[in-house]
Amino acid sequence: MIRVAINGYGNLGRGVEQAITRNADMETVVVLTRRDPSSLTTLGAPVAHLEDMAAWEDKVDVCLNCGGSATDLAEQGPQAAAHFNTVDSFDTHARIPEYFAAVDAAARQADHLALISTGWDPGLFSMLRVLGESVLPDGATTTFWGPGVSQGHSDALRRIDGVLDARQYTLPVPQTVEAVKAGDDVELTTRSMHRRDCYVVAAPGADRSRIEREIVEMPNYFADYDTSVTFISAEQMRAEHGGIPHGGTVIRRGRTSEGVSANVTFELQLGSNPEFTGSVLVATGRAVARMAARGERGARTVFDLTLADLSPRTPEELRATYL
Amino acid sequence: MIRVAINGYGNLGRGVEQAITRNADMETVVVLTRRDPSSLTTLGAPVAHLEDMAAWEDKVDVCLNCGGSATDLAEQGPQAAAHFNTVDSFDTHARIPEYFAAVDAAARQADHLALISTGWDPGLFSMLRVLGESVLPDGATTTFWGPGVSQGHSDALRRIDGVLDARQYTLPVPQTVEAVKAGDDVELTTRSMHRRDCYVVAAPGADRSRIEREIVEMPNYFADYDTSVTFISAEQMRAEHGGIPHGGTVIRRGRTSEGVSANVTFELQLGSNPEFTGSVLVATGRAVARMAARGERGARTVFDLTLADLSPRTPEELRATYL
């Protein structure tokens, strides 16, 4: 059994906990939290305060960091790597090199292994970008996101005066996806690639046309996109927009000889973004526990993983059944 | 520069040669053949007879075995592993464990590394099956092949009396693909998953209805499928069916919690089956050259590869740009 600590118990932490119940070779031995431990109800694992992390060092094979934001993880990553082998989903792309260096130093210092920036993007999408380019070096990679809920954009909507609740969906523009797959000469711009659909619950008496104008003109968030705004009731919001779906598509199109092309397409359709991200963290956790047991130390990324380490199957089973 | 030997110069060997021209860190240093070396015209590399393999041992980092059939490879694999680090596309699924053992023994004996059964299936599809199951353990994997040319089925058509030439395309049944993605309760049978379209050039005066009947009733090959037969002219065959396209789709659908599902879909659309297979062999060859240089010995499969080894980029570049 691989003994797992879940560090943080928001949407992602609960997604990880669900995923562990679906992996027979792994168990949650503790949930670590900054909150009052008695305030959490887990699926069964004990809860400990983050400050008592050190007490769990010998009882945990890998700690899955589920901090809710880049700010959380920037601190949580090196801190946890001092106590455990770790996995995280750090996703501030521009800061990855510096974060990698910080986690690498902390992990080496404490004789641990730490894998950063897994999940689906960064994570599976990153893996498929490298795979696509490696097998089709003469080509181009395009990533589309959605259909799915963008939390940051939903939050931006909720900050508008007169908005009680809101949900924002990002959607790839289907014609552009098809053009990329067909190798047609299409200009890839912010507007040509994605559109944004907003569902808004307005306060009674709020000026809906002012709200709509503020949304579609909001710089960075919406002004560069074709954006639709639909006002709905609080009941509709609860009934129809309760999930956190997401997904996307990575397309590599390249030439294998003059005039001959190939497409490698990878698509995710996720009923729950945090649950799927949690599932990837758990599979990565298995790999990290195994690699650490073989003596690997320092920081790693998904580019350093083998499928044999991600899978619960033995190499013999994999060769006999999955090749 | 990674120095590559191409062992065998049929469609796959020429696909490999094309792919190497698209990889700046690799070069073809020799083409090995069973035929008279003077009978081959390469893109530039010298040609040597297979029997002179040993003379190239110190000039080659990795040998890509491009034998045309499972019979070729069963012999070629262990033989080449005695002289070189190797990569092959052995695809007789049932015999993979025994072939792995034979190549492993030959490679260890000679202090080499040998990766078997790469390409796209086995190969990329195998990788995605393991990836899909690892991140969604509570689910099912379905593979569809095509649209694409099946060489074995085309050969079967050509053996029918009165058939001058023929091409057989395998196509997934779109409704079944959509049902699998949607998680609908659909029975997956030979007939529900794929159909077969045959294009046939008949000899003048041949009995076309007899040919058609022989095709659609042919056991194993066509009787279990919905099969269409279209008679065309030799000119149409040349003009419209000269390529060797193929592809397919691996779908993993699984639950991340009660009532919540996710799909991981991987799709290949290949203008040229042998050129793309060759491209995968070349990327795998890079990984094998690097792993061998680090001291790895014996047989491996695609499950033992990291993306860092498949890619020509440095780990720093990968982290900064591809995560």
Side-chain angles (χ1 to χ4, degrees):
Chain A
M1 274 300 209
I2 296 173
R3 301 166 301 167
V4 178
I6 301 175
N7 186 4
Y9 201 64
N11 282 338
L12 180 55
R14 284 191 299 271
V16 161
E17 188 183 32
Q18 277 288 343
I20 289 174
T21 66
R22 286 169 167 72
N23 284 276
D25 60 335
M26 305 179 78
E27 58 178 336
T28 306
V29 295
V30 65
V31 172
L32 299 166
T33 181
R34 270 189 306 221
R35 292 180 269 172
D36 172 5
S38 71
S39 70
L40 303 191
T41 307
T42 70
L43 293 180
V47 185
H49 197 276
L50 202 56
E51 286 177 3
D52 301 324
M53 205 181 237
W56 291 87
E57 279 186 8
D58 297 336
K59 305 182 186 76
V60 167
D61 297 308
V62 60
C63 172
L64 307 184
N65 293 329
C66 301
S69 76
T71 324
D72 284 354
L73 281 175
E75 192 181 302
Q76 202 181 61
Q79 184 191 47
H83 297 285
F84 305 112
N85 302 308
T86 63
V87 169
D88 72 51
S89 59
F90 187 83
D91 67 353
T92 310
H93 294 261
R95 291 184 53 204
I96 283 175
E98 108 195 45
Y99 181 68
F100 181 89
V103 172
D104 188 57
R108 288 187 190 280
Q109 168 82 25
D111 214 24
H112 287 136
L113 181 67
L115 192 140
I116 70 160
S117 303
T118 188
W120 62 273
D121 194 7
L124 301 192
F125 272 18
S126 321
M127 294 168 75
L128 269 288
R129 283 184 201 111
V130 173
L131 183 64
E133 187 189 84
S134 299
V135 298
L136 291 173
D138 182 11
T141 304
T142 313
T143 304
F144 294 93
W145 290 273
V149 171
S150 296
Q151 303 279 14
H153 284 71
S154 298
D155 291 344
L157 295 178
R158 289 190 205 101
R159 286 192 294 266
I160 293 173
D161 193 45
V163 171
L164 296 182
D165 196 4
R167 204 73 84 253
Q168 195 272 172
Y169 295 89
T170 304
L171 300 99
V173 176
Q175 302 91 305
T176 310
V177 176
E178 289 316 306
V180 166
K181 286 189 180 178
D184 294 342
D185 192 18
V186 60
E187 202 189 358
L188 297 178
T189 64
T190 299
R191 193 177 300 275
S192 76
M193 292 183 70
H194 297 95
R195 51 174 287 117
R196 296 191 181 273
D197 288 355
C198 306
Y199 294 86
V200 175
V201 181
D207 180 350
R208 294 183 172 199
S209 41
R210 190 259 311 154
I211 290 174
E212 177 163 355
R213 202 170 52 245
E214 278 194 43
I215 294 173
V216 301
E217 294 176 357
M218 195 185 294
N220 302 318
Y221 282 86
F222 296 102
D224 298 334
Y225 297 85
D226 289 337
T227 301
S228 77
V229 179
T230 306
F231 290 95
I232 61 174
S233 67
E235 291 68 40
Q236 278 178 293
M237 182 63 78
R238 264 194 302 278
E240 296 163 23
H241 302 279
I244 318 177
H246 219 311
T249 307
V250 176
I251 301 167
R252 178 72 181 182
R253 184 175 169 84
R255 280 161 296 279
T256 54
S257 68
E258 200 54 45
V260 180
S261 292
N263 283 2
V264 177
T265 303
F266 182 69
E267 185 180 8
L268 295 174
Q269 297 164 296
L270 313 174
S272 164
N273 184 352
E275 285 179 7
F276 185 77
T277 303
S279 299
V280 178
L281 260 71
V282 168
T284 311
R286 171 186 296 117
V288 164
R290 290 172 168 180
M291 294 158 74
R294 289 199 303 267
E296 295 203 37
R297 299 293 181 263
R300 297 288 187 282
T301 71
V302 290
F303 306 133
D304 304 306
L305 296 175
T306 67
L307 290 155
D309 278 331
L310 281 172
S311 170
R313 313 272 174 196
T314 66
E316 292 74 17
E317 273 182 293
L318 290 177
R319 289 195 295 268
T321 318
Y322 292 77
L323 269 178
Chain B
M1 272 303 206
I2 295 172
R3 301 165 302 167
V4 178
I6 300 175
N7 186 5
Y9 200 63
N11 282 338
L12 180 56
R14 286 191 297 272
V16 162
E17 189 184 31
Q18 277 288 344
I20 289 173
T21 66
R22 285 168 168 73
N23 285 276
D25 60 335
M26 304 179 80
E27 59 178 336
T28 306
V29 295
V30 66
V31 171
L32 300 166
T33 181
R34 268 189 306 222
R35 292 179 270 172
D36 173 5
S38 71
S39 70
L40 304 191
T41 307
T42 70
L43 294 179
V47 184
H49 197 275
L50 202 56
E51 286 177 1
D52 301 325
M53 207 181 233
W56 291 86
E57 279 187 5
D58 298 335
K59 306 182 185 77
V60 167
D61 297 309
V62 62
C63 173
L64 308 184
N65 292 330
C66 301
S69 75
T71 323
D72 284 354
L73 281 176
E75 192 180 303
Q76 203 181 61
Q79 183 189 49
H83 297 284
F84 305 111
N85 302 309
T86 63
V87 169
D88 72 51
S89 60
F90 186 83
D91 66 354
T92 310
H93 294 262
R95 291 183 52 204
I96 283 175
E98 111 196 41
Y99 180 69
F100 181 89
V103 173
D104 188 58
R108 288 186 189 281
Q109 169 80 23
D111 214 23
H112 287 136
L113 181 67
L115 192 140
I116 69 158
S117 301
T118 188
W120 61 274
D121 194 7
L124 302 193
F125 273 18
S126 322
M127 294 169 75
L128 268 287
R129 282 183 202 112
V130 174
L131 183 63
E133 188 190 82
S134 300
V135 298
L136 290 173
D138 181 11
T141 304
T142 312
T143 304
F144 293 93
W145 290 273
V149 172
S150 296
Q151 304 279 14
H153 284 73
S154 298
D155 291 343
L157 296 177
R158 290 190 204 100
R159 286 192 294 266
I160 294 172
D161 192 46
V163 171
L164 296 182
D165 197 3
R167 204 74 84 251
Q168 195 271 170
Y169 295 88
T170 304
L171 300 98
V173 176
Q175 301 90 305
T176 309
V177 177
E178 289 315 308
V180 166
K181 286 188 181 178
D184 294 343
D185 191 19
V186 61
E187 203 189 358
L188 297 177
T189 64
T190 300
R191 195 177 299 272
S192 76
M193 292 183 72
H194 297 95
R195 51 174 286 117
R196 297 191 180 276
D197 288 356
C198 306
Y199 294 86
V200 175
V201 181
D207 179 351
R208 294 185 173 196
S209 40
R210 191 258 311 154
I211 291 175
E212 178 163 351
R213 202 172 50 243
E214 280 196 38
I215 294 172
V216 301
E217 293 176 356
M218 195 184 296
N220 303 317
Y221 283 86
F222 295 103
D224 298 334
Y225 298 85
D226 289 338
T227 301
S228 78
V229 179
T230 307
F231 290 95
I232 60 174
S233 68
E235 291 68 39
Q236 278 178 293
M237 182 64 78
R238 264 193 303 277
E240 297 164 21
H241 302 278
I244 318 176
H246 219 312
T249 307
V250 176
I251 301 167
R252 179 71 181 183
R253 182 173 170 85
R255 280 162 296 279
T256 53
S257 68
E258 201 53 44
V260 180
S261 292
N263 282 4
V264 177
T265 304
F266 182 70
E267 186 179 7
L268 295 174
Q269 298 163 294
L270 314 173
S272 164
N273 184 351
E275 286 179 7
F276 186 77
T277 303
S279 299
V280 178
L281 260 70
V282 168
T284 310
R286 171 185 295 117
V288 163
R290 289 171 169 181
M291 292 158 75
R294 289 200 302 268
E296 294 202 36
R297 298 293 180 265
R300 296 288 189 281
T301 71
V302 290
F303 306 134
D304 305 306
L305 296 175
T306 67
L307 290 155
D309 277 331
L310 281 171
S311 170
R313 312 275 173 194
T314 66
E316 292 75 16
E317 273 183 294
L318 290 178
R319 289 195 295 268
T321 318
Y322 292 77
L323 268 178

